[in-house]
Amino acid sequence: MGKNYYETLGVSENATPEEIKKAFRALAKKYHPDRNKGDKTAEARFKEISEAYNTLSDSRKKTEYDTMRKYGAFTGAGTGPGQGGFGGPNFDFSDLFRQGKGGRGGFQTFRFSSSGIDGLDDVLSSLFGGGDPFQRGEPFSRTRGRARAQALKGTDLTADLSISFVEAVKGTKRTITIGQTGKKLAVRIPKGIEDGAKIRLARQGLPGPNGVNNGDLIITVHVMPDQQFERKGNDIYTSATVSFKQAILGGKVNVKTLTKTIALTVPPGTQPGTTMRLKGQGLAIDQSPGDLYVRIQVEIPKTLTEKQRKLLEEW
């Protein structure tokens, strides 16, 4: 007897797509292999409802299915014995969905899988966080261009890596040792990485079931404070000290940027704490360089000559 997908999902033949999806969600949650480990009956039931949902949730497949039932392909609801078409009363609709050449009635052929069924991944991921419940990659391997059966993923590992401010700005390479496994890995630190940023190295975590499909290694980068520079986004902050005379009369002072040393002109009467901007001298990322901000510190002499004292008093 042919399969009645409506009965499998427990919905009427006039059920809306929302009702079909709701019914499948409830059944998938009940019979999912992750919740019934080692239960072959539940696994078989899960495959049945997945097969039913794959057909009834796809408008084209559903139309083909309903047409087959209407013209006597099944002895289920809505058909009767003796009605012609597609192999008689013992015809099984699932025969149309086996991998191979041709296929009866000219319909497209494919096979089912727990991962990759049209719309099934989204439904299952909302219930179980994604992933293929069938680690063995047995039946249920859908082939429409490629197989997508996947084993359960191994555990992710975490690590911390401290780098200098200059390394963060310019980028660098480091070799780290994973404590849990003892494995050494070369890590490329991209230019401009910020404190607290994370780098994910795919498949460098612990292995999954059967020693395959490793988890990832997630590295948290810590940028150490710098004595000279401070970063805010792509802007860099530093300071420069000028003499009391330079602050009053003006002059030039050498300032280090991230890449060079430049002569900064200090205007007469510059006050302590004044911040001057050097446009485009900050951190350059994605062709959008930040600016360099220089805080001016004025050095006050601790001792004065008599002449200097007299001049100040007269001033």
Side-chain angles (χ1 to χ4, degrees):
M1 180 178 293
K3 297 179 182 179
N4 188 324
Y5 290 149
Y6 294 102
E7 289 184 356
T8 300
L9 294 182
V11 298
S12 70
E13 297 182 17
N14 296 321
T16 64
E18 290 74 18
E19 291 172 334
I20 292 173
K21 185 175 182 178
K22 182 178 180 180
F24 171 73
R25 285 172 58 91
L27 292 171
K29 187 174 183 179
K30 180 179 180 180
Y31 292 105
H32 196 281
D34 285 350
R35 294 193 174 185
N36 301 273
K37 296 186 182 299
D39 188 336
K40 297 298 183 180
T41 301
E43 182 175 320
R45 179 72 172 127
F46 182 79
K47 294 177 182 179
E48 291 176 358
I49 62 177
S50 298
E51 180 181 316
Y53 179 73
N54 176 66
T55 298
L56 299 184
S57 63
D58 184 297
S59 59
R60 178 185 60 79
K61 297 174 189 174
K62 184 176 182 297
T63 299
E64 294 174 356
Y65 174 72
D66 288 341
T67 300
M68 298 291 292
R69 297 182 73 248
K70 180 178 179 180
Y71 290 101
F74 302 102
T75 58
T79 64
Q83 293 178 307
F86 304 101
N90 292 322
F91 178 79
D92 189 338
F93 181 76
S94 63
D95 288 343
L96 291 175
F97 299 93
R98 292 176 182 160
Q99 184 182 24
K101 297 181 179 180
R104 304 184 192 183
F107 294 102
Q108 184 179 11
T109 60
F110 57 92
R111 61 185 182 185
F112 293 101
S113 91
S114 63
S115 176
I117 295 177
D118 295 342
L120 183 57
D121 283 345
D122 293 337
V123 177
L124 291 180
S125 62
S126 67
L127 291 174
F128 304 99
D132 190 339
F134 299 101
Q135 301 178 31
R136 300 178 300 279
E138 291 175 1
F140 260 58
S141 176
R142 175 179 180 254
T143 56
R144 184 176 288 171
R146 62 175 179 171
R148 294 177 53 195
Q150 297 180 346
L152 294 177
K153 183 181 177 183
T155 302
D156 291 342
L157 296 179
T158 60
D160 293 278
L161 176 62
S162 296
I163 61 175
S164 69
F165 179 87
V166 174
E167 287 176 318
V169 167
K170 296 183 177 181
T172 187
K173 290 183 179 180
R174 285 290 195 91
T175 299
I176 66 171
T177 301
I178 304 176
Q180 295 89 333
T181 64
K183 184 177 181 180
K184 291 186 177 182
L185 292 174
V187 182
R188 186 182 69 84
I189 310 298
K191 175 182 178 181
I193 194 168
E194 296 192 62
D195 181 55
K198 297 183 185 298
I199 298 175
R200 180 182 293 270
L201 299 183
R203 300 186 181 279
Q204 296 300 331
L206 295 180
N210 301 321
V212 297
N213 205 8
N214 288 31
D216 300 334
L217 174 64
I218 303 170
I219 303 172
T220 301
V221 178
H222 303 281
V223 181
M224 305 302 291
D226 189 81
Q227 293 183 350
Q228 184 173 0
F229 297 109
E230 181 184 353
R231 177 183 176 184
K232 294 182 180 179
N234 285 352
D235 295 330
I236 302 297
Y237 289 78
T238 188
S239 62
T241 301
V242 300
S243 68
F244 182 69
K245 179 181 177 180
Q246 287 175 312
I248 295 175
L249 302 179
K252 290 184 180 294
V253 61
N254 288 333
V255 175
K256 282 188 176 182
T257 72
L258 295 176
T259 58
K260 58 186 177 181
T261 298
I262 62 175
L264 175 66
T265 299
V266 178
T270 296
Q271 301 297 308
T274 297
T275 298
M276 302 181 67
R277 184 180 72 152
L278 297 177
K279 187 176 181 181
Q281 295 298 323
L283 183 60
I285 299 180
D286 299 329
Q287 299 181 347
S288 179
D291 301 327
L292 177 69
Y293 290 87
V294 183
R295 291 185 289 265
I296 301 298
Q297 298 176 345
V298 179
E299 185 178 32
I300 306 296
K302 295 181 179 180
T303 60
L304 297 173
T305 65
E306 283 298 323
K307 182 178 180 180
Q308 291 171 334
R309 182 182 297 275
K310 185 176 181 179
L311 288 172
L312 285 174
E313 289 174 348
E314 291 178 352
W315 183 51

